[in-house]
Amino acid sequence: MRRGRALGRTAVTAAVALGIGLSAVPAQARQQYEGRPPAPGIENCTATACHFDLPPGTYDVRVTLGGDLASSTAIGGETRRALLPETAAAAGERVVRSFTVNVRTPEGEPLGTEGTPGLDLTVGGTAPALAGIRVTPARHARQILLVGDSTVCDQPGDPYSGWGQRLPQYLRKGLSVANYADSGESTVSYLGNPFLWDTVRPLIRRGDLVLIQLAHNDKTTDGATYRAGLETLVAGVRERGGEPVLVTPVVRRWFNTDGTLNNNTALLVNGLGVDHPAVIRSVAADRDVPLIDLTARTKALVESLGVEGSKALYLSNEKRDNTHTSVHGATVYADLVREELLNLGLVPRGKVRVG
């Protein structure tokens, strides 16, 4: 389960579209307020990427999309995170979108490489056109912190992707995802490593959501220890004033001959007979913790797609891997999480994009 990890505006837009050096852009395009330093903007971009020399923190990003021709633009950033879904603009139209992004070191998995300092964004889509961008420190942003394993984390290399890596694109300005999921972690190892839970817990602020999905690597964890680990995580979140949310694990794509996933491998029952999803559901009920039953949701979806159709969700063809998700699968599963956050009333509908 471990994987590695106006005139000025017109001139700037033209520079981005053509990919020319932005030093040629008129200086007035970079100065928003006379006598004040400019906010980080389009001068920090090329045709396909932007870099902002900023310290770790949480930032609001406002992008203006569109150009003379019809366009369709998506924004990603940091360690392969999806930050804004592909957004269409008609020829001559300008579309403004905003999102909030977490910048941290390491920028991906907590035990992974440090990554590149500052904020890095990618400009993609089928016909990308970035007309303007502004980055400012976020004020009063609410965090969604993620505690999990390789099926959740910011995977560093294609074709792998975790659902937590794809979740930010569904959130609007004012909600950020701080993904502290790490490949290969169990409840025991996550709690025991000072660079994991001991690092995450002090970051939790009152009102923050903390989504916890750990099970895939608890292969040798007995039931009492597993339950105690979940309860420790829940208590730690609440002591900081945050709101814990327990998430049952995504299924493994491991079919029975009858086309169902009713087997221990698929449904995360370990070699000691510990039914991880059942324990998570029990802790959620006993401790009055909101529950996202991702096991049930992903099981129903995988079974509905069948043996062949479900391969695209995982890396079955690419890696013969029926545990880790493709970019497509992680996106679909992130959308399930988005739906459940709304269904449970954990985030306002105005802060979530429609899938």
Side-chain angles (χ1 to χ4, degrees):
M1 290 292 292
R2 177 166 292 280
R3 291 283 315 161
R5 305 218 195 283
L7 172 63
R9 177 176 295 178
T10 301
V12 175
T13 305
V16 173
L18 296 173
I20 64 175
L22 286 166
S23 60
V25 177
Q28 64 265 31
R30 307 174 191 170
Q31 189 70 43
Q32 293 193 343
Y33 301 102
E34 186 175 354
R36 297 174 62 182
I42 198 79
E43 69 275 11
N44 294 280
C45 301
T46 68
T48 59
C50 304
H51 173 74
F52 302 93
D53 187 12
L54 296 167
T58 305
Y59 296 90
D60 291 332
V61 180
R62 182 180 185 271
V63 294
T64 303
L65 309 175
D68 293 339
L69 303 177
S71 62
S72 186
T73 309
I75 305 293
E78 297 296 89
T79 304
R80 303 176 62 237
R81 298 181 218 161
L83 300 174
L84 185 72
E86 193 151 345
T87 302
E93 181 186 17
R94 296 294 183 269
V95 175
V96 176
R97 294 289 185 269
S98 296
F99 55 87
T100 301
V101 60
N102 170 259
V103 177
R104 60 183 183 272
T105 303
E107 70 177 34
E109 296 181 86
L111 303 186
T113 60
E114 288 194 359
T116 305
L119 171 61
D120 288 282
L121 302 176
T122 57
V123 183
T126 54
L130 178 65
I133 186 169
R134 177 183 171 89
V135 179
T136 55
R139 308 294 182 189
H140 311 298
R142 186 186 187 192
Q143 297 182 113
I144 300 178
L145 296 103
L146 305 181
V147 169
D149 53 35
S150 58
T151 65
V152 185
C153 75
D154 287 352
Q155 288 279 3
D158 188 69
Y160 291 83
S161 185
W163 63 256
Q165 199 166 21
R166 309 297 295 175
L167 183 61
Q169 67 186 312
Y170 294 118
L171 306 178
R172 299 180 187 276
K173 175 184 173 182
L175 272 178
S176 71
V177 174
N179 191 349
Y180 284 89
D182 192 74
S183 294
E185 306 303 337
S186 65
T187 52
V188 175
S189 64
Y190 204 97
L191 284 165
N193 192 316
F195 294 104
L196 296 173
W197 183 237
D198 288 348
T199 297
V200 175
R201 188 174 175 274
L203 302 176
I204 302 170
R205 304 174 308 209
R206 185 166 299 279
D208 286 344
L209 293 176
V210 183
L211 276 57
I212 301 164
Q213 185 213 280
L214 287 166
H216 276 275
N217 300 298
D218 281 281
K219 298 172 184 177
T220 60
T221 308
D222 65 81
T225 302
Y226 184 64
R227 184 183 186 93
L230 294 174
E231 291 175 338
T232 297
L233 290 165
V234 166
V237 173
R238 285 176 166 167
E239 286 167 1
R240 293 288 301 171
E243 182 168 6
V245 181
L246 289 173
V247 183
T248 60
V250 301
V251 295
R252 295 189 177 103
R253 186 189 158 277
W254 201 278
F255 282 91
N256 297 320
T257 56
D258 64 357
T260 67
L261 297 180
N262 293 318
N263 59 77
N264 289 353
T265 300
L267 300 183
L268 285 296
V269 179
N270 73 9
L272 302 178
V274 179
D275 186 331
H276 295 105
V279 175
I280 296 168
R281 294 175 188 125
S282 175
V283 172
D286 292 347
R287 301 295 178 179
D288 194 25
V289 180
L291 173 72
I292 294 177
D293 198 338
L294 205 51
T295 303
R297 293 295 305 268
T298 56
K299 178 179 183 293
L301 177 59
V302 170
E303 288 181 343
S304 72
L305 292 172
V307 174
E308 291 300 318
S310 62
K311 286 181 177 179
L313 297 171
Y314 294 85
L315 297 173
S316 304
N317 294 324
E318 300 89 341
K319 299 287 185 177
R320 296 186 180 180
D321 186 334
N322 293 301
T323 296
H324 295 96
T325 46
S326 62
V327 171
H328 168 66
T331 303
V332 171
Y333 288 178
D335 192 33
L336 295 180
V337 174
R338 176 197 66 84
E339 288 181 2
E340 290 303 306
L341 290 172
L342 287 173
N343 291 340
L344 293 167
L346 294 170
V347 295
R349 291 193 173 271
K351 291 294 184 182
V352 178
R353 303 183 197 279
V354 175

